[in-house]
Amino acid sequence: MYHLPSFGVEEEFLLVDPETGEPAPSNNEVAAQARRRGIELQLELSSCQVETASGVAASSAELHAELALLRRTAAQAAEASGVRLLALGLPPVTPHEFPLTDTERYRRIGEEFGMIAHEQGICGCHVHVEVPSRAAAIKVSNWLRPWLPSLLALSANSALYRNTDTGYASWRSILWRRWPAAGPPPFFASPEQYDRTVRMLVDSAVILDPKMIYWDVRPSAKFPTVEVRVADVPATVEETVLLATLIRAAVMTALNVDGRGDDGGRLPPAAMRAAYWKAAHDGLSGHLLDPANQHRAVPARQQLDALLQRVRPALEDLGEYDRATAELERILTQGNGAMRQRKIWQQRGDMMDVIDDAAAATAG
């Protein structure tokens, strides 16, 4: 029997003008309205973004109820501020640049990182899962590496950008990897090696501080958790809960295996880069690189089923296997955020229709 770790989720959302669909620099106003309604929103780098953070959850049902409440309340706060809340990885309609939130830290990031910071507007989903130690977090990170592209494909929700189809299911992940410490983490032999790498990045002024470690898995700096950050913000609460449940089960599985290795071995950098690109490009509707045989691509459905079966013992201990299986089948049949964006865009050719659908899906 596994220890059943607690978990929680942070979701980032876009704020857009209801008439034009363009990002709206209104995060301070929306946060104030949300506070009046009893929830705290975090301000992100771009002033057209806000973030919600769930409490610590013990079950998927508990997490679902809280995320639904947070989304509904944040959407109401946005409406009261004259804007709309969207769970999209990127804004479909964009300005030349995104105004930054006016704090000392964000101003400094804007000065140091230039256009990378000023073309942000990127919304992800961060899943925290309880672990017993930093060493355990590093072990989980190593084990998860080959499965990160599968989780990215599952959550892909940023196919449209700058009024066009990007050709990618997750263009967010392509833009996000421009940051110097973003994307898949290296394979670390120990927490000490992790710490040395972070110190090198800070001491060489590649990043300002350890908070700018944006790798897709990292030990949390604030909580006794491992934080998995690979996903676009999913379109719906149900998709977020499935993502978080699979990650929770994967963490349990990783902690139960012998040694520090991942199932697919230490994927070479070229294979990891190829797997990420393929997942970002194809998403759920195409093929993914098979980590067990890096010379072939398999249908995304097949790869996600392999992940589901790999973590099945943990899901069964959580009492979540049937729910996760049914929800994954529903998403594979009906499509995830990127697939729904494209379908509406191809059928109607009006980006405001895409935004209307995203707003409805966001609030449930």
Side-chain angles (χ1 to χ4, degrees):
M1 179 70 175
Y2 302 85
H3 169 65
L4 304 184
S6 59
F7 66 146
V9 168
E10 298 163 332
E11 292 190 294
E12 297 168 341
F13 299 97
L14 289 165
L15 303 171
V16 303
D17 183 285
E19 300 298 326
T20 67
E22 290 195 0
S26 304
N27 60 0
N28 276 298
E29 296 91 330
V30 174
Q33 287 285 348
R35 196 171 298 115
R36 296 188 188 104
R37 289 164 169 78
I39 69 168
E40 289 292 328
L41 298 178
Q42 304 300 313
L43 305 184
E44 292 298 303
L45 175 62
S46 168
S47 57
C48 68
Q49 291 175 272
V50 292
E51 180 184 73
T52 62
S54 78
V56 177
S59 70
S60 295
E62 182 182 340
L63 181 67
H64 186 286
E66 183 171 9
L67 291 181
L69 175 63
L70 288 170
R71 284 191 179 209
R72 284 197 304 270
T73 307
Q76 292 164 2
E79 184 178 6
S81 303
V83 296
R84 302 178 84 178
L85 187 84
L86 302 182
L88 290 174
L90 288 171
V93 180
T94 58
H96 176 63
E97 66 179 23
F98 299 86
L100 302 186
T101 299
D102 189 19
T103 68
E104 181 180 353
R105 174 177 167 75
Y106 288 155
R107 286 195 298 271
R108 188 178 173 201
I109 289 176
E111 292 166 0
E112 293 288 337
F113 292 90
M115 193 56 74
I116 293 179
H118 287 274
E119 282 190 336
Q120 189 71 353
I122 287 172
C123 292
C125 175
H126 308 155
V127 178
H128 287 262
V129 182
E130 176 192 4
V131 290
S133 66
R134 294 184 77 248
I138 297 301
K139 180 181 180 182
V140 167
S141 175
N142 290 339
W143 190 91
L144 269 175
R145 289 175 77 250
W147 297 106
L148 292 172
S150 301
L151 297 171
L152 173 61
L154 176 64
S155 69
N157 189 27
S158 50
L160 307 181
Y161 186 61
R162 297 193 181 279
N163 296 289
T164 193
D165 189 328
T166 65
Y168 290 75
S170 176
W171 186 240
R172 176 206 65 89
S173 70
I174 300 295
L175 297 183
W176 182 243
R177 291 203 296 278
R178 297 180 299 179
W179 291 96
F187 190 104
F188 291 110
S190 66
E192 292 74 25
Q193 185 186 19
Y194 176 93
D195 292 338
R196 287 194 299 271
T197 302
V198 174
R199 282 198 301 273
M200 176 272 292
L201 292 168
V202 174
D203 291 347
S204 61
V206 171
I207 59 177
L208 299 184
D209 53 42
K211 292 180 180 178
M212 291 192 71
I213 292 296
Y214 296 149
W215 290 320
D216 288 336
V217 189
R218 67 182 186 184
S220 173
K222 298 186 295 183
F223 308 110
T225 65
V226 62
E227 182 181 3
V228 181
R229 306 163 49 89
V230 69
D232 287 9
V233 61
T236 66
V237 169
E238 289 75 18
E239 290 167 66
T240 296
V241 171
L242 174 63
L243 173 76
T245 300
L246 290 175
I247 290 172
R248 186 188 188 195
V251 170
M252 293 165 62
T253 304
L255 292 176
N256 197 53
V257 299
D258 294 331
R260 295 191 178 91
D262 50 8
D263 278 5
R266 301 191 186 195
L267 286 184
M272 181 60 77
R273 183 177 177 85
Y276 257 73
W277 185 90
K278 190 68 171 167
H281 183 269
D282 287 19
L284 202 56
S285 61
H287 287 68
L288 301 176
L289 193 70
D290 182 358
N293 181 354
Q294 298 153 30
H295 295 283
R296 69 168 189 164
V298 298
R301 172 186 287 267
Q302 179 178 328
Q303 188 61 24
L304 283 162
D305 185 63
L307 172 60
L308 187 74
Q309 296 310 312
R310 183 66 184 88
V311 303
R312 179 172 181 169
L315 287 171
E316 289 180 337
D317 281 344
L318 291 167
E320 300 285 2
Y321 178 72
D322 290 342
R323 182 200 298 259
T325 300
E327 183 60 21
L328 179 59
E329 181 59 32
R330 186 191 67 79
I331 294 171
L332 288 168
T333 301
Q334 298 180 7
N336 62 2
M339 296 163 75
R340 290 195 293 272
Q341 288 176 40
R342 281 193 168 128
K343 182 177 180 180
I344 294 171
W345 175 243
Q346 290 166 1
Q347 288 178 345
R348 307 178 197 173
D350 188 334
M351 206 61 81
M352 289 307 297
D353 287 338
V354 175
I355 288 171
D356 288 345
D357 180 78
T362 298

